[in-house]
Amino acid sequence: MGLISEVLLLPFAPVRGSGWVMRQLLREAERIYYDPATIRAELARLEAQLEAGEITEEEFDRQEDQLLDRLEIASRVSAGTGNGTAP
């Protein structure tokens, strides 16, 4: 960009900076969401809730399926065969 365009776009600098921050936050949230260690910890917590009687078998099955889907996506992405549904 030239000097004139930089000067003209200067009022939008906070917006561009905010957009960059939002992209960084989203990237970090997706990294944590699809982290296999995080997913395995959630699976262990879910199993403990089932054993303690805090959730029903149906609720356990539903949440377990969601977690296993996330784990599968994370495995595909780390293997380089992702389909664009995760980071």
Side-chain angles (χ1 to χ4, degrees):
M1 284 192 204
L3 181 59
I4 294 177
S5 61
E6 285 293 326
V7 170
L8 291 175
L9 293 176
L10 190 58
F12 298 106
V15 174
R16 290 187 299 181
S18 297
W20 179 83
V21 169
M22 295 302 289
R23 286 189 301 276
Q24 297 304 313
L25 288 173
L26 179 61
R27 192 172 297 135
E28 181 64 13
E30 286 178 338
R31 186 192 65 76
I32 293 169
Y33 185 76
Y34 288 106
D35 179 34
T38 301
I39 298 169
R40 288 187 189 98
E42 289 183 34
L43 282 167
R45 179 189 52 80
L46 188 62
E47 188 172 348
Q49 286 180 326
L50 177 66
E51 291 173 359
E54 296 173 4
I55 60 173
T56 64
E57 187 75 33
E58 294 79 22
E59 181 65 18
F60 173 82
D61 290 339
R62 187 183 65 75
Q63 290 186 31
E64 182 187 40
D65 288 343
Q66 291 174 346
L67 289 169
L68 292 176
D69 288 344
R70 276 175 46 197
L71 190 58
E72 182 181 341
I73 291 169
S75 298
R76 281 196 314 247
V77 168
S78 68
T81 59
N83 61 1
T85 59

